[in-house]
């Protein structure tokens, strides 16, 4: 199936700064472009870090505070206190930067964002050079696919290779990304296999199965089944 990748949803080109970019210039860029973070690049445009608005706020939080080390201060607070004295991107940035390539699938990008608790990722080429940005909001563009597009992909690709699933015995309905399956397949184990196949299609919100089957090979008794009484 033709899965969407980062290239399908990313913003091509990105505002960036260098390690010696001053604090106030970073603030000006964030405000002017209505963004919350900028990649930091070296002289070859390779991404070396990221500065977000969260890295700038300690300048306010710890303004006028003394530098005395608190005994029970956690690592995060110590790092924030250190950034309060930073004057350029190189001192403020989080490094190394977590990046993705344009060929990365939107599924993989979403998992990276979730695992690393990130809202955006710089997109780089095979040399590590910045070519764009992708955000959580960008990833949601897969759900802009029309119901007709989704249904066509299900019929053309999702069913392909599943022996025992015949299009003539299958009815597929798609409404606001929710797929409803009706009809009959050969074996019971085909039902979850088909549902998983369709769930992988970009833009599918949910899959509801009303499928029946001729042969029960699931190892479970059909609903309503009663064992015969032995005399």
């Amino acid at each position: 199936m033709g899965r969407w990748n980062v290239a399908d949803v990313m913003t091509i080109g990105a505002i960036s700064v260098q390690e010696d970019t001053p604090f106030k210039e970073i603030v000006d860029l964030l405000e002017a472009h209505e963004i919350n973070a900028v990649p930091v690049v070296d002289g070859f445009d390779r991404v070396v870090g990221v500065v977000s608005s969260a890295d700038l706020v300690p300048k306010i939080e710890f303004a006028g505070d003394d530098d005395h080390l608190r005994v029970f201060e956690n690592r995060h607070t110590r790092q924030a206190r250190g950034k309060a004295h930073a004057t350029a991107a190189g001192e403020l940035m989080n490094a190394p930067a977590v990046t993705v390539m344009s060929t990365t699938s939107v599924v993989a990008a979403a998992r990276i964002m979730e695992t690393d608790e990130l809202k955006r990722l710089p997109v780089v080429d095979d040399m590590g050079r910045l070519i764009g940005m992708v955000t959580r909001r960008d990833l949601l563009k897969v759900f802009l696919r029309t119901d007709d597009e989704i249904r066509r992909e299900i019929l053309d690709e999702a069913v392909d290779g599943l022996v025992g699933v015949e299009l003539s015995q299958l009815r597929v309905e798609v409404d606001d990304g929710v797929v409803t399956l009706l009809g009959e397949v050969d074996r019971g184990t085909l039902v979850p296999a088909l549902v998983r196949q369709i769930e992988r299609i970009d833009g599918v919100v949910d899959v509801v199965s009303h499928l029946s089957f001729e042969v029960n090979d699931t190892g479970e008794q059909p609903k309503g089944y009663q064992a015969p009484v032995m005399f």
Side-chain angles (χ1 to χ4, degrees), residues 155 159 164-172 181-187 190 194 210-214:
L155 296 177
V159 178
V165 180
E166 300 293 335
L167 283 177
S168 60
Q169 296 182 302
L170 190 67
R171 191 163 94 242
V172 179
L181 302 174
L182 304 122
E184 185 179 70
V185 295
D186 285 356
R187 306 182 309 279
L190 284 170
L194 180 58
H210 296 299
L211 294 171
S212 58
F213 43 86
E214 292 184 3

Side-chain angles (χ1 to χ4, degrees), residues 25-121:
E25 187 174 330
I26 299 171
V27 176
D28 289 340
L29 284 171
L30 296 183
E31 180 65 21
H33 296 279
E34 298 182 341
I35 53 180
N36 290 314
V38 285
V40 183
V41 299
D42 63 14
F44 299 97
D45 219 25
R46 294 175 301 202
V47 178
V48 295
V50 174
V51 175
S52 72
S53 55
D55 299 312
L56 306 175
V57 170
K59 183 73 75 175
I60 301 171
E61 182 182 358
F62 296 104
D65 200 10
D66 64 66
D67 295 329
H68 183 67
L69 182 64
R70 276 66 171 175
V71 177
F72 299 107
E73 194 168 67
N74 60 40
R75 184 171 62 89
H76 175 76
T77 303
R78 286 197 302 273
Q79 290 176 338
R81 190 184 299 281
K83 290 184 178 183
H85 299 286
T87 60
E91 302 167 293
L92 291 159
M93 69 182 186
N94 292 297
V98 180
T99 63
V100 292
M101 299 182 68
S102 61
T103 53
T104 303
S105 72
V106 293
V107 173
R111 287 174 179 163
I112 292 170
M113 287 185 185
E114 178 65 23
T115 300
D116 292 283
E117 298 181 345
L118 300 171
K119 296 180 180 179
R120 64 199 65 78
L121 293 167

Side-chain angles (χ1 to χ4, degrees), residues 128-142:
R129 295 171 299 199
L130 180 68
I131 59 174
M133 291 287 284
V134 64
T135 66
R136 288 184 178 183
R137 182 175 178 179
D138 290 330
L139 298 182
L140 294 176
K141 291 177 183 177
V142 298

Side-chain angles (χ1 to χ4, degrees), residues 198-230:
I198 293 173
E199 286 175 338
R200 295 189 184 104
I201 292 177
D202 293 312
V204 170
V205 175
D206 193 15
V207 180
V208 179
S209 172
H210 296 299
L211 294 171
S212 58
F213 43 86
E214 292 184 3
V215 177
N216 180 17
D217 61 345
T218 64
E220 299 177 0
Q221 297 294 352
K223 186 177 180 180
Y225 174 83
Q226 291 184 342
V229 179
M230 302 298 293

